[in-house]
Amino acid sequence: MSIEKLLFEKLEGHFVEKVFPKGVKVKVAPQALLKSISHNFELDLHVVEQASYSAGAVPERYIRNLNTFSQVEQAKLFSSKVAMVGLGGLGGHMLESLARAGVGHIVACDGDIFEPSNLNRQFLSSESTLLMKKSAAAVELVKNVNPAVSFEVESQFLEGDQFDKFISGADIVVDCLGGLQHRSQLKDAASRNNIPLVTACVAGWAGIVATVYPGDASPADFFGDNDGLEETLGTPIPAISTAVGIQSAEILKILSGKGAGLAGKALMFDLSGMIFDTVTL
Amino acid sequence: MKIKLICFGHLTVYHSNNDCLEIPDGSVTSDLPVLLGFPAKDVAMYFVGEQRVSADHEILNEDVVKIFPPITGG
């Protein structure tokens, strides 16, 4: 018996119907059922969730995503692939957000280790992960938060043409880099591969988020060779989590088919004065 | 002439976003750092309204001008 047929038989008849406002009915696959099938047949939870979607049911863990995302949109998230560069301030929160949302395939890279100066903001850093590779902490996070995500990580800093191979097959590239050095290289690789890029930069209370389709301008295009002001202004957590919230909303809207809100634009914010402003680049 | 100037990041040190700013007629965007007393390299982008403009864009009376610094942290 094929795995697909086996899974269909094990899932069939065990879904729970949930009725949403406006009478929208959704079949829900209970978490315990998916976990037990995964365990009993030694199947990756990703494969079991895939079978659930194929049978027309949303895994229970995503039920609070509905109806912000429709059942069809949630399934699109599961079949999507995100390539994210950087697992530091922006990247740690981003990885958590995308994994919880139910993005099915994520690849990430970072060659760094955690240092005490990361503890003020980086989600993957903790007393227990100090001096640990950020990539190793990322693997643990995904395993704990959503083991149904197909997650691959590279423990190295990529540059230039290396980005092309890394982002190959991705639906979206996410720039979670710090500093300016590799941002334009990543943007160029995304453009060469015809993949949209969602980028963010922060310092102090301020930040900027933009969606960059091939040929579009990115905020970093205008930063010259400045090293940025974060070395003097620091990077406290409110600007980081605000930027990631905007960035991940944009990513999930694009992947689900709702469409980008910041294509050719940027959302600038300054939390010191609670200013949020969307501008055209 | 009088404009509304909105600064982002550390540029708020040089100008309160609550205040309007008096500038000479005929001023262009790159005159703003000089008028406020900070280096031009501290501005990455100028905007008038919602549109990015160049450093030599002429500012008009009652324009809403926004200036954003180069920040690259993450």
Side-chain angles (χ1 to χ4, degrees), chain A residues 11-38:
Chain A
L11 291 166
E12 180 80 341
H14 295 287
F15 299 138
V16 178
E17 189 172 85
K18 184 172 168 61
V19 182
F20 284 85
K22 297 183 183 173
V24 176
K25 294 177 182 173
V26 175
K27 283 194 288 183
V28 177
Q31 167 88 347
L33 171 68
L34 300 178
K35 294 283 280 188
S36 71
I37 292 174
S38 170

Side-chain angles (χ1 to χ4, degrees), chain B residues 11-24:
Chain B
L11 301 177
T12 53
V13 169
Y14 303 98
H15 169 76
S16 167
N17 288 335
N18 295 323
D19 300 335
C20 286
L21 183 68
E22 285 279 356
I23 61 171

Side-chain angles (χ1 to χ4, degrees), chain A residues 90 177-179 183 201-203 207-208 222-223 226-230 268 270 275 277 279-281, chain B residues 6-10 12 17 41-42 44-45 47 49-52 66 68-74:
Chain A
L90 295 167
L177 288 159
R183 287 188 191 266
C201 302
V202 298
I208 186 165
F222 307 104
F223 292 163
N226 280 298
D227 236 353
L229 296 162
E230 57 278 4
M268 313 186 293
D270 189 324
I275 298 169
D277 202 340
V279 291
T280 301
L281 293 178
Chain B
I6 300 174
C7 296
F8 287 80
H10 79 295
T12 53
N17 288 335
K41 69 178 179 61
D42 280 9
M45 293 180 280
F47 300 88
E50 295 180 354
Q51 186 65 50
R52 189 179 63 81
K66 301 154 192 173
F68 196 88
I71 57 173
T72 62

Side-chain angles (χ1 to χ4, degrees), chain A residues 161-237:
Chain A
D161 295 347
Q162 292 175 311
F163 284 127
D164 290 82
K165 187 180 173 195
F166 176 72
I167 67 175
S168 174
D171 298 296
I172 285 192
V173 175
V174 188
D175 172 4
C176 294
L177 288 159
L180 200 54
Q181 191 181 1
H182 295 113
R183 287 188 191 266
S184 63
Q185 294 176 11
L186 181 60
K187 180 200 164 194
D188 291 344
S191 180
R192 277 196 297 275
N193 290 274
N194 202 29
I195 305 172
L197 171 86
V198 182
T199 181
C201 302
V202 298
W205 292 106
I208 186 165
V209 180
T211 297
V212 185
Y213 279 87
D216 285 352
S218 170
D221 295 346
F222 307 104
F223 292 163
D225 53 6
N226 280 298
D227 236 353
L229 296 162
E230 57 278 4
E231 290 301 321
T232 47
L233 297 175
T235 41
I237 194 165

Side-chain angles (χ1 to χ4, degrees), chain B residues 14-63:
Chain B
Y14 303 98
H15 169 76
S16 167
N17 288 335
N18 295 323
D19 300 335
C20 286
L21 183 68
E22 285 279 356
I23 61 171
D25 288 353
S27 295
V28 297
T29 39
S30 60
D31 291 329
L32 291 171
V34 180
L35 290 166
L36 294 169
F38 60 84
K41 69 178 179 61
D42 280 9
V43 181
M45 293 180 280
Y46 297 96
F47 300 88
V48 172
E50 295 180 354
Q51 186 65 50
R52 189 179 63 81
V53 297
S54 64
D56 60 357
H57 180 88
E58 184 175 347
I59 303 171
L60 303 177
N61 188 41
E62 297 191 342
D63 268 351

